[in-house]
Amino acid sequence: MASLSNKIRQYVNAEIDFTKDVLLQDDGQGAYIKEWNLSIAKPTLEQLDALDAQATTYENNQKIIATRKSLYGSWDKQLEEIYDNGIESWKARIAQIKADNPKENN
């Protein structure tokens, strides 16, 4: 099951500032929306639960993106690679990283 924050991201279809836009709280029985400061209507639990699959895909893709970034290396190392080996070699390596770590589709 996806986190409440990621279900909310799917509901709003945008990044959320969870320090001012939406405040979550967990008193030991699971997280809930303590404060909703967005201009769109606060979702019901049923609306958020309906977005569980999309939120899970989002979470999985965030992990894949982090893996890809770590494999790409820093910008300076990538630029050095391009300088030393050429752009086509770099593009092939990046394409292989993406092929080895595919994102999920919604």
Side-chain angles (χ1 to χ4, degrees):
M1 178 171 266
S3 68
L4 178 59
S5 59
N6 285 324
K7 290 178 186 180
I8 292 169
R9 281 185 179 96
Q10 297 305 305
Y11 176 77
V12 175
N13 197 26
E15 281 302 313
I16 304 294
D17 183 340
F18 285 99
T19 63
K20 65 178 184 177
D21 295 334
V22 177
L23 302 180
L24 302 180
Q25 188 163 325
D26 188 339
D27 299 326
Q29 297 181 332
Y32 64 92
I33 298 170
K34 179 180 180 182
E35 195 173 314
W36 185 265
N37 299 314
L38 296 173
S39 59
I40 64 172
K42 179 180 171 181
T44 65
L45 185 58
E46 291 78 23
Q47 287 173 308
L48 292 175
D49 285 345
L51 295 168
D52 187 63
Q54 292 162 285
T56 298
T57 298
Y58 173 83
E59 289 176 359
N60 293 340
N61 283 340
Q62 291 305 302
K63 291 174 189 171
I64 291 165
I65 289 168
T67 298
R68 285 180 177 183
K69 284 182 179 182
S70 71
L71 294 170
Y72 293 158
S74 65
W75 283 109
D76 58 331
K77 288 187 178 187
Q78 290 184 60
L79 288 173
E80 186 176 333
E81 177 185 358
I82 292 168
Y83 180 80
D84 291 343
N85 304 320
I87 191 84
E88 293 306 317
S89 173
W90 173 82
K91 286 169 66 175
R93 186 178 70 82
I94 296 301
Q96 188 62 54
I97 289 170
K98 288 182 175 186
D100 291 344
N101 300 280
K103 290 184 189 176
E104 294 181 11
N105 295 321
N106 284 348

